[in-house]
Amino acid sequence: MLVVEDDEGVRAAYRVIFESEYDIVAVPDGLSAIEIVQSRPVDVVLLEILMRGIDGLEVLREIKAFDGQIPVVMATAVKTVRTAVDAMRLGAFDYLTKPFDDEEVLGVARRAVAQRRQQAPPGAGGTARPLARAVPAPGRILIIGGDIGWQSVLAVALQRSGLVELVATAAALVADADLRWVKGVIVDPGEVAPGILGFLTALRERLPISPVLVLGAAPDVSELRTPRLHWVARAPGHLARLVDGMTAACPAGRPAAAPLTPYSGRAMEHLAIHYGHPLTVAGVAGAIGISESHLAHTFRADTGMSVRKFLTRVRVRVAEHLLATTSGKVAGIAAKAGFFDASHLARVLRRHAGPRSGARRPTRAEGL
């Protein structure tokens, strides 16, 4: 049993109630609870709604996104119809109002565990064995700032891990945007400086659970050094560190992708700058100081695709972004993205057709 309660005295009381029947792990905050669920088998969660920092409803949402079969019992001293409805809508097993007697909470926990064991694989018996985790739906990464080449290379590189299905790009965070889909954020602070500290503070308030990676040196501000906020120095290899950092920070319920090697990272940085120019594998290899064969082998081993295929996907994203956000002529967009002409762009877009976060304008895409 995982007990999530920020009051130390209440945690101690729960231990007295449950310790004869359950192995108890008690934590004082939502972030710790999420980390426990993602790292070890849990049969039932007893979760306080009103906590400092991340509230219980947000923790419930994250737990259910990771493993929808874990029964979560919500507890609160202040019951309202709205919070009860929200909890049940998000998949809570039951909802208890403090104070409750020992037998009441024990009975709810027993029913929750009985349900959990009924979902165990055949042959598991009545033992509390780890259950198969449901693979969560891929999350989306919000990329804020940076030029379109940088954004597009990050988008393609993040997909190599299988953690990210779609990557959204944005010049700035819209105050009233619905960000429930965001699982992680990568920020190039160029567009939001010099107000980066205030911007990041607001971002942490809106996305307290999502990891945030910021390009640049960390300022001397202790309140921004939170466990889910990381700074990546702007130096050779920084793009690979952003990809690796976000891959490691986003829970996937599957083995993490191996870190990118330095040469693959440097090749990606070269593509982010020169995607619109005529490029060859030999030229990219020469620019980063290795042989063509070495680059081809290393890049495919790291990303699962050739340099040419990676570059084509980057160019597709650039073209889609320009088609969706500018009124330029198709021929000019094709040239800027690195395609020979509008006809070449049309052929490639047809091959790569599918849902994208930076969606093309339908009329222009259909016209192509």
Side-chain angles (χ1 to χ4, degrees), residues 313-337:
R313 291 189 177 184
V314 169
R315 286 171 168 168
V316 165
R317 284 195 172 271
V318 171
E320 287 179 332
H321 175 82
L322 295 175
L323 286 167
T325 60
T326 72
S327 58
K329 293 183 177 180
V330 174
I333 289 174
K336 186 169 184 179

Side-chain angles (χ1 to χ4, degrees), residues 32-201:
S32 300
I34 293 166
E35 291 170 357
I36 291 291
V37 168
Q38 292 170 355
S39 63
R40 59 194 296 182
V42 174
D43 291 306
V44 61
V45 179
L46 182 59
L47 174 60
E48 169 64 35
I49 291 180
L50 300 178
M51 296 186 293
R52 292 182 292 273
I54 306 169
D55 68 24
L57 292 178
E58 187 64 29
V59 177
L60 171 63
R61 183 182 291 110
E62 291 294 318
I63 290 173
K64 288 298 181 179
F66 182 75
D67 185 343
Q69 294 184 343
I70 298 178
V72 181
V73 178
M74 310 300 291
T76 184
V78 182
K79 181 175 183 178
T80 66
V81 173
R82 180 174 180 178
T83 54
V85 170
D86 286 345
M88 303 311 290
R89 178 176 56 82
L90 292 171
F93 177 82
D94 207 338
Y95 187 102
L96 297 174
T97 304
K98 301 173 183 176
F100 37 72
D101 60 44
D102 296 1
E103 287 305 314
E104 179 185 12
V105 68
L106 271 170
V108 172
R110 288 166 182 158
R111 291 197 305 274
V113 172
Q115 174 182 286
R116 178 69 160 155
R117 287 178 175 170
Q118 287 175 358
Q119 297 165 341
T127 60
R129 294 176 58 184
L131 299 179
R133 297 234 183 251
V135 176
R140 299 184 187 178
I141 305 302
L142 180 65
I143 301 176
I144 300 174
D147 61 64
I148 184 59
W150 184 82
Q151 290 181 351
S152 298
V153 166
L154 276 176
V156 176
L158 283 165
Q159 290 182 346
R160 77 190 240 279
S161 63
L163 300 172
V164 181
E165 182 181 46
L166 298 173
V167 180
T169 58
L173 189 63
V174 180
D176 59 351
D178 182 357
L179 298 179
R180 286 176 295 180
W181 52 267
V182 175
K183 296 300 182 183
V185 185
I186 296 177
V187 181
D188 183 336
E191 292 192 18
V192 292
I196 182 64
L197 299 183
F199 174 81
L200 291 175
T201 299

Side-chain angles (χ1 to χ4, degrees), residues 260-327:
L260 292 169
T261 58
Y263 286 127
S264 292
R266 287 168 59 188
M268 290 180 185
E269 290 173 5
H270 186 82
L271 299 181
I273 298 171
H274 302 287
Y275 64 86
H277 301 161
L279 290 174
T280 64
V281 179
V284 176
I288 64 175
I290 61 173
S291 70
E292 179 180 356
S293 61
H294 187 183
L295 174 61
H297 174 77
T298 300
F299 200 89
R300 185 179 291 276
D302 282 351
T303 67
M305 67 185 87
S306 67
V307 178
R308 291 183 181 278
K309 185 175 182 179
F310 188 96
L311 174 59
T312 298
R313 291 189 177 184
V314 169
R315 286 171 168 168
V316 165
R317 284 195 172 271
V318 171
E320 287 179 332
H321 175 82
L322 295 175
L323 286 167
T325 60
T326 72
S327 58

